[in-house]
Amino acid sequence: MTTTNNTRVALVTGGSGGIGAAVVERLARDGFAVAVHYAGNAERAEKLVAEIAAAGGQAIAVGGDVADEVAMAEAFKATSEAFGGIDVVVNTAGIMALSPIASLDLDVLDRMHRTNIRGTFVVSQLAANQVRDGGAVINFSTSVKKVALPGYAAYTASKGAVDALTMVLAKELAGRDITVNAVAPGPVATPLFLDGKDEETIERMANMNPLHRLGTPDDIAEVVAFLAGPCRWINGQVVYANGGMV
């Protein structure tokens, strides 16, 4: 299934649902061959692959725990073997658990940081060694860091680590024309955000930005597509995609 010389290739972690699926669909529309990564829902990933193929695009599904360097090395290998290389890695995979610091179960803390910090590091390390010159690495942070909402300490701490990793990697890849950035969404209407929240909380958070709505996965995919495609002069940055939330 090797692509033509002009086809760029993207691997999207967490690509089977939510923001990740929107990113996959957008990059496929932009002409990328896409590897749709999943951790636990192979059926959903395969369905997305079939939809892309039906629309004339190229896609495969690859699985694995993002924090497992062996599993993710296999996912990178499968992508390169299918399409001839990798140009863009988008690391949307992440988990969020909310709790006050005083009562957070430390096992939950460890599990979240394993995915959000170690997982991002594993994927970034593989990307640093395999993304072709002229490519892009796009990690995922969060805008909630800026507003310090109660209950979000562990999650935002993990995403603060993503910011630091992203900025350092951009400098470490100097000379290869590879951009490394992080996208920091505000509240987005996905199951990850909506789960466990009542209507009052959702409305309050929707009104934290002057557009007075939640973001959509497509809003975030638009930013990713810009960083993955035409944008070559934004590098080592955290791009806040939040409708103006401060």
Side-chain angles (χ1 to χ4, degrees):
M1 196 191 298
T2 302
T3 63
T4 65
N5 291 334
N6 294 326
T7 301
R8 301 184 78 209
V9 178
L11 168 61
V12 181
T13 73
S16 63
I19 290 173
V23 169
V24 165
E25 291 167 350
R26 175 55 193 267
L27 293 181
R29 289 198 302 271
D30 285 352
F32 280 81
V34 187
V36 184
H37 165 269
Y38 64 91
N41 198 324
E43 182 178 352
R44 192 165 58 186
E46 293 289 359
K47 181 175 182 290
L48 189 52
V49 167
E51 291 171 354
I52 291 170
Q58 299 180 77
I60 61 169
V62 294
D65 173 1
V66 289
D68 182 337
E69 65 273 26
V70 175
M72 291 312 298
E74 286 299 316
F76 272 71
K77 180 181 178 182
T79 304
S80 290
E81 289 180 346
F83 300 127
I86 301 174
D87 300 289
V88 173
V89 172
V90 186
N91 193 26
T92 76
I95 60 175
M96 179 172 65
L98 304 182
S99 171
I101 294 171
S103 56
L104 178 66
D105 184 329
L106 294 180
D107 287 339
V108 174
L109 174 72
D110 291 342
R111 189 161 60 250
M112 184 161 48
H113 283 202
R114 183 178 188 278
T115 296
N116 295 356
I117 298 177
R118 180 185 167 89
T120 300
F121 198 100
V122 165
V123 172
S124 294
Q125 185 177 67
L126 287 162
N129 285 292
Q130 297 191 43
V131 167
R132 293 186 283 212
D133 291 2
V137 179
I138 302 163
N139 290 319
F140 263 68
S141 182
T142 178
S143 286
V144 182
K145 300 188 314 294
K146 300 177 73 173
V147 292
L149 292 177
Y152 282 82
Y155 177 68
T156 57
S158 73
K159 293 303 187 177
V162 171
D163 292 359
L165 184 160
T166 298
M167 291 183 282
V168 171
L169 183 58
K171 293 184 177 180
E172 291 182 348
L173 296 183
R176 292 180 53 191
D177 190 29
I178 296 174
T179 62
V180 185
N181 294 290
V183 177
V188 176
T190 65
L192 180 70
F193 170 76
L194 297 172
D195 185 42
K197 294 183 176 67
D198 58 33
E199 288 299 323
E200 181 182 355
T201 299
I202 293 170
E203 183 177 359
R204 175 173 53 80
M205 295 189 75
N207 286 318
M208 291 176 69
N209 68 75
L211 300 181
H212 293 172
R213 67 172 177 87
L214 295 177
T216 69
D218 286 343
D219 289 327
I220 309 307
E222 186 82 17
V223 179
V224 172
F226 178 59
L227 294 173
C231 176
R232 303 305 304 162
W233 197 235
I234 295 177
N235 190 26
Q237 304 298 316
V238 179
V239 181
Y240 288 87
N242 57 29
M245 183 180 79
V246 294

